[in-house]
């Protein structure tokens, strides 16, 4: 089979197209013929070996796929952890989920890791109260575009988006954001407060780290919550307990990996997301689909913030 393999850590150039044997499923595993592989920002950290969990080489990246079960022909999405940038992948059966009728494969893949993340940011981490003001950073991205849409249905009163270009801010507004502002950290605290009609915000979903984290934390109202679920800037932050006590605020970390051993945290949330999508209440923003051979370009575009929505790989290309 054709696959993208990493034999050394580094820049996009380490993503090499190779021919490998098709994997054989063991007991409790399923062989999936991949029709689309999903790209996530975490893939770029894995390529550099700077992710939360360290990688070992050689490595086929790719944490999620959509395709068909070879044993039954059923359409499925699957969380594979690694191995997704390939024509075939072996996945634990517990991490394979049917795609319901009325949901296309691109949408199903967008709702897997990124949709589940957006859902748990609201329901598990921030625990939104009625009418609270929520800030969604990177609102035109895979997680952000879904989090903007889930805001009002899951209890937010006002949804404030940040994005790096006017076009991305317009997209966020079209998806239901009440206000949108530039993503640059300089002056962000004041802009977020201005977007909330002069009031501090209740919740921030933050995935950059560094100065954006600090500016967002400063914008929180008393009893506010900042949920950190990524570190795209490469800078990790430290928080002083005194700063939290001064505003009775909280910083909550989230990593979807901790949901994967609890099937109900995946199955129930995914069922809700699929149902909303089938009813037309939730739209997955599907960005570019790259041939498998262009995986390096796809990751480069994502790191440079030149992508929008869910970015996909086509193993046939």
């Amino acid at each position: 089979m054709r696959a993208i393999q990493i034999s050394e850590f580094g820049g996009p150039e380490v993503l090499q197209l190779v021919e490998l044997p098709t994997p054989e499923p063991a007991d409790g595993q399923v062989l999936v013929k991949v029709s689309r592989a999903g790209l996530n920002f975490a893939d770029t950290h894995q390529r550099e070996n700077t992710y939360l969990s360290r990688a070992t080489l050689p490595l086929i990246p790719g944490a999620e796929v959509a395709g068909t079960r070879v044993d039954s022909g059923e359409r499925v999405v699957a969380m594979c952890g690694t191995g997704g940038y390939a024509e075939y992948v072996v996945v634990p059966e517990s991490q394979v989920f049917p795609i319901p009728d009325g949901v296309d494969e691109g949408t199903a893949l967008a709702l897997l890791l990124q949709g589940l993340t957006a859902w748990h940011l609201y329901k598990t981490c921030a625990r939104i109260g009625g009418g609270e003001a929520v800030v969604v950073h990177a609102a035109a991205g895979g997680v952000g575009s879904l989090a903007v849409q889930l805001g009002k249905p899951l209890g937010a009163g006002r949804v404030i988006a940040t994005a790096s270009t006017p076009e991305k801010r317009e997209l966020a507004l079209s998806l239901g954001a009440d206000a949108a502002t530039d993503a640059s950290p300089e002056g962000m605290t004041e802009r977020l407060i201005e977007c909330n009609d002069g009031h501090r915000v209740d919740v921030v979903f933050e995935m950059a780290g560094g100065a954006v984290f600090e500016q967002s934390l400063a914008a929180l109202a008393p009893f506010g919550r900042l949920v950190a679920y990524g570190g795209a800037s490469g800078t990790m932050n430290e928080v002083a307990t005194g700063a939290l006590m001064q505003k009775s605020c909280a910083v909550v970390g989230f990593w979807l990996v901790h949901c994967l051993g609890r099937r109900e945290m995946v199955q129930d949330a995914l069922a809700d997301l699929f149902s909303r999508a089938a009813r037309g209440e939730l739209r997955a923003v599907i960005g570019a689909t790259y041939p498998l051979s262009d995986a390096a370009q796809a990751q480069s575009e994502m790191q440079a913030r030149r992508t929008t929505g869910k970015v996909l790989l086509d193993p046939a290309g």
Side-chain angles (χ1 to χ4, degrees):
M1 69 173 187
R2 299 164 73 246
I4 295 294
Q5 189 177 64
I6 298 172
S7 297
E8 59 180 320
F9 298 116
E13 70 281 355
V14 304
L15 297 166
Q16 297 294 313
L17 184 65
V18 298
E19 288 282 345
L20 296 172
T22 300
E24 295 284 343
D27 290 343
Q29 293 182 323
V30 172
L31 180 64
V32 176
K33 179 176 173 57
V34 180
S35 58
R36 291 290 185 272
L39 271 77
N40 295 282
F41 206 92
D43 297 352
T44 67
H45 292 306
Q46 188 181 60
R47 187 196 74 226
E48 299 163 344
N49 205 24
T50 58
Y51 196 47
L52 293 173
S53 58
R54 294 298 180 176
T56 56
L57 298 175
L59 168 71
I60 301 173
E64 55 174 354
V65 299
T68 55
R69 290 181 60 144
V70 171
D71 59 358
S72 67
E74 182 181 32
R75 291 194 314 145
V76 295
V77 287
M79 297 188 221
C80 48
T82 61
Y85 289 16
E87 292 181 302
Y88 292 89
V89 64
V90 165
V91 186
E93 188 156 19
S94 63
Q95 302 303 321
V96 179
F97 303 90
I99 301 175
D101 293 339
V103 178
D104 64 79
E105 289 183 343
T107 295
L109 198 49
L111 296 179
L112 191 57
L113 297 185
Q114 292 172 331
L116 287 172
T117 295
W119 195 93
H120 281 292
L121 291 177
Y122 281 103
K123 300 285 283 186
T124 303
C125 299
R127 302 184 182 183
I128 302 294
E132 290 188 305
V134 177
V135 174
V136 179
H137 286 308
V143 174
S145 61
L146 295 168
V148 166
Q149 296 176 73
L150 289 171
K152 300 295 175 63
L154 296 185
R158 187 170 178 81
V159 177
I160 299 163
T162 76
S164 58
T165 68
E167 293 77 16
K168 290 183 176 183
R169 293 192 285 275
E170 284 298 322
L171 173 61
L173 292 170
S174 74
L175 293 174
D178 297 290
T181 187
D182 186 71
S184 60
E186 296 79 9
M188 178 177 282
T189 298
E190 292 73 23
R191 292 198 307 278
L192 295 180
I193 292 171
E194 181 181 357
C195 286
N196 197 34
D197 296 329
H199 303 289
R200 293 182 178 276
V201 301
D202 300 298
V203 172
V204 179
F205 298 146
E206 203 285 307
M207 38 57 67
V212 173
F213 179 99
E214 300 294 347
Q215 291 281 315
S216 299
L217 187 62
L220 285 180
F223 300 106
R225 288 89 71 204
L226 186 153
V227 185
Y229 70 99
S233 71
T235 302
M236 297 298 172
N237 297 80
E238 295 183 359
V239 179
T241 53
L244 301 181
M245 294 167 61
Q246 283 175 348
K247 288 194 294 187
S248 297
C249 62
V251 174
V252 181
F254 178 70
W255 190 16
L256 187 64
V257 164
H258 295 121
C259 297
L260 303 187
R262 306 180 186 188
R263 189 170 172 86
E264 72 282 358
M265 294 188 77
V266 175
Q267 201 164 20
D268 295 350
L270 199 56
D272 182 37
L273 291 165
F274 281 162
S275 178
R276 293 177 189 274
R279 295 194 302 267
E281 298 171 5
L282 184 63
R283 176 170 73 90
V285 177
I286 307 300
T289 298
Y290 294 84
L292 184 67
S293 55
D294 288 346
Q297 180 187 351
Q299 285 202 7
S300 296
E301 296 287 314
M302 178 175 283
Q303 272 190 298
R305 297 191 176 185
R306 290 192 291 264
T307 60
T308 299
K310 185 63 182 176
V311 181
L312 305 173
L313 287 180
D314 179 0

